[in-house]
Amino acid sequence: MSETHEALPEQKPWMTFVQKAGAPVVSVIIAIGIGSIIMWISGYDAGAAFAALFKGALGSPKAVGDTLLRATPLMFTGLAVAYGFRAGLFNIGAEGQLFIGGLAAAYLGVRLGGMSPVIALPVVLLAAMAAGAAWAFVPAVLKARIGAHEVITTMMFTYIGKYIVSWLVVGPLKAPGQIPQTEMIGTSAQLPRIQSLFSDATLTAMPLLKLGRAHMGIFVAVFFAVIVWLILKYTTLGYENRAVGYNPWASENAGISVPATIVKSLCISGALAGLAGAVEVMGVHHRIFDQFSSGFGFTGIAVALVAKNHPLGVIPAALLFGAMSAGSGTMQLEADVPQKIVLIIQALVIFLIASESVVQWFIQKRQKEALARAR
């Protein structure tokens, strides 16, 4: 049976935008709908639950601050995974690179605590980036030289990194006391809270600035999202990264060194993940301890998928996951709905990314209708 293919009209800009942004939005809406059904079947009030979730995520300046606080490391890990994806690499080991980056920040933060923040802050951040990149270097070389799959090697290095940190905080780097943790980093190496930048009079006049524990790391994360977008779009490094991701064989024939690009991509991905650990140490805990990350590296995979691996898309995707995380506690407290329901909704969002095909079908249907009316 033969099939006739009709020529489609030129795609309009709004259709391109809907095609790129529609799938995540539709996925979130459908996931909320399915989550409501699950809550209704389980005997919970879905309306009260989502009202409590919204209140806990955006209902007050402090709630907004909690959302920003939880979204900050997710932006970095989302960027790390997305950058690797653009080169065709699945860096599933962002969690381990986060731990090593946090370890470097905790160690240097203590040593440089007496220096000026102008020196201490950038040095500690750069050191965390270098540590994360170094932790991704061996899997990158194994991938480039012998084809060892990065999913296996980066995952193995995640556990190695976590156990090294666990050993150090109970051994050589343990601070005096019963709790297994390192010493507190110096104040000059700490990222200041956003509300600390304003005077009491300003905070009284503008209570919206009382953002609780939210710190300057959120601005660092947004800055790096823009930088990664510029690199991917306008630099030779980004072009080679995208070309290898599209087709490594064609890239090789075009003169691009695929092994070198693989090493560079995974190391840059590791550097971004290392920054996630640094901002958690410098902005939240001010020290490192066993299991100081609540899975930010793994959640970053979901953030990158929802963002469709676009560096700027990582920002709203991380805010979405940060809001759900911040609001889940209030939902459990006020609506008596288990926090696991939020994890179900997050999983549904990822699963329903497949709804992209539905959005594309809708756009193509509208294009064919426009073509038929033009005839």
Side-chain angles (χ1 to χ4, degrees):
M1 183 175 64
S2 62
E3 183 179 353
T4 302
H5 295 280
E6 295 178 301
L8 296 176
E10 184 179 357
Q11 186 163 289
K12 297 179 180 179
W14 71 267
M15 291 182 174
T16 304
F17 175 78
V18 170
Q19 191 171 4
K20 291 182 177 179
V25 173
V26 171
S27 300
V28 171
I29 294 173
I30 295 176
I32 290 175
I34 296 176
S36 301
I37 294 174
I38 293 174
M39 281 188 264
W40 176 70
I41 293 175
S42 303
Y44 299 109
D45 186 343
F50 281 112
L53 182 68
F54 180 83
K55 179 182 177 182
L58 301 170
S60 66
K62 181 178 179 301
V64 173
D66 286 343
T67 295
L68 296 178
L69 185 74
R70 295 165 192 261
T72 301
L74 294 179
M75 285 189 194
F76 284 115
T77 54
L79 284 172
V81 177
Y83 193 88
F85 269 142
R86 297 295 288 269
L89 301 169
F90 190 4
N91 179 18
I92 202 172
E95 182 77 359
Q97 294 142 19
L98 178 152
F99 265 79
I100 298 301
L103 177 64
Y107 180 80
L108 279 180
V110 174
R111 270 65 188 171
L112 303 179
M115 301 183 71
S116 167
V118 178
I119 298 175
L121 288 175
V123 169
V124 173
L125 288 173
L126 289 173
M129 292 180 67
W135 203 247
F137 180 72
V138 173
V141 172
L142 291 174
K143 172 72 175 180
R145 289 295 183 185
I146 62 175
H149 205 291
E150 72 277 8
V151 170
I152 304 299
T153 55
T154 56
M155 177 57 78
M156 292 172 63
F157 267 70
T158 291
Y159 287 102
I160 295 172
K162 293 176 71 171
Y163 286 128
I164 287 176
V165 171
S166 179
W167 169 67
L168 288 174
V169 299
V170 299
L173 298 183
K174 182 177 179 295
Q178 298 297 321
I179 302 175
Q181 59 186 7
T182 61
E183 297 179 22
M184 181 174 288
I185 64 175
T187 54
S188 61
Q190 297 177 8
L191 289 169
R193 293 183 178 180
I194 296 174
Q195 69 177 23
S196 69
L197 303 177
F198 304 97
S199 64
D200 292 339
T202 303
L203 292 175
T204 303
M206 302 179 67
L208 290 176
L209 297 176
K210 295 180 180 178
L211 296 174
R213 295 190 301 157
H215 55 79
M216 297 297 290
I218 186 69
F219 300 110
V220 179
V222 172
F223 171 76
F224 271 91
V226 175
I227 292 297
V228 170
W229 174 68
L230 292 174
I231 289 174
L232 285 172
K233 192 170 180 64
Y234 295 109
T235 68
T236 303
L237 176 67
Y239 172 78
E240 292 177 347
N241 193 75
R242 290 184 288 116
V244 171
Y246 283 131
N247 193 322
W249 295 277
S251 302
E252 190 78 46
N253 290 329
I256 298 174
S257 173
V258 174
T261 303
I262 288 174
V263 173
K264 287 185 287 186
S265 298
L266 264 182
C267 287
I268 291 174
S269 177
L272 292 167
L275 276 173
V279 296
E280 279 296 285
V281 169
M282 300 168 68
V284 182
H285 307 295
H286 302 149
R287 63 176 85 231
I288 193 169
F289 49 87
D290 196 10
Q291 309 299 327
F292 84 107
S293 169
S294 57
F296 294 122
F298 298 117
T299 309
I301 298 171
V303 171
L305 289 174
V306 172
K308 300 179 75 64
N309 301 321
H310 194 293
L312 299 183
V314 164
I315 298 173
L319 289 173
L320 170 66
F321 279 83
M324 287 194 287
S325 175
S328 61
T330 306
M331 186 176 74
Q332 184 180 31
L333 182 65
E334 296 191 359
D336 198 26
V337 176
Q339 291 183 334
K340 299 299 181 185
I341 293 290
V342 174
L343 298 179
I344 293 175
I345 294 175
Q346 290 178 352
L348 287 170
V349 170
I350 301 166
F351 180 77
L352 292 169
I353 288 297
S355 65
E356 179 181 8
S357 59
V358 177
V359 177
Q360 289 180 338
W361 170 82
F362 173 76
I363 292 174
Q364 290 176 357
K365 180 182 177 183
R366 291 294 304 271
Q367 288 176 320
K368 290 180 179 178
E369 290 174 353
L371 180 63
R373 286 195 298 268
R375 288 177 176 174

